[in-house]
Amino acid sequence: MTGFYNAFSIAQKGWNKSFMFPLLSLFRFNNLENQIHSIYVIIIMFFSLLHIKKIPLSLQCLIWLNLLLPLTAGSTISIGRYCIVLFPIFYLSSMYFYKLGKFRYLLLLLLLSVQLYFFQYWTIADSLSY
């Protein structure tokens, strides 16, 4: 639409994205969105390292590629879209929820309230919802 063959790379620079080592992009910017996404990535990395023997190698590759490749762009702003397809992580976490007994309902209520809180950012098209 712009008539310029390299418009995508110029847009990436406008979004503060540049190639870098994946772990250096965590906590790179001081705004709330990037801090929350960085914490989210660290939790998923820790959880997948904790269960490295329970998940087959092919699914481990899926997890680490979906975590590290987006981070090479130097930003964590769109990491939520990449983490949403990490079904092995959600499978293992649901096994933990099942073992909690009646406490799991309280935890699920807490997670639902966090989801509803972040839904307000989606309704106003804030960057925290990307």
Side-chain angles (χ1 to χ4, degrees), residues 103-114:
F103 181 69
R104 71 177 173 222
Y105 297 116
L106 181 63
L107 186 59
L108 290 173
L109 181 65
L110 175 71
L111 291 174
L112 178 66
S113 61
V114 169

Side-chain angles (χ1 to χ4, degrees), residues 33-85:
E33 295 89 4
N34 285 309
Q35 300 297 323
I36 289 174
H37 288 131
S38 296
I39 292 169
Y40 182 60
V41 168
I42 289 174
I43 289 171
I44 289 178
M45 284 180 176
F46 177 74
F47 193 75
S48 65
L49 284 175
L50 192 64
H51 295 92
I52 199 159
K53 295 195 178 201
K54 290 183 180 180
I55 300 174
L57 180 61
S58 60
L59 295 179
Q60 282 287 340
C61 289
L62 172 75
I63 291 170
W64 288 103
L65 284 175
N66 276 318
L67 287 177
L68 295 178
L69 280 178
L71 292 176
T72 58
S75 175
T76 59
I77 199 67
S78 61
I79 197 71
R81 287 182 278 166
Y82 293 98
C83 291
I84 205 87
V85 297

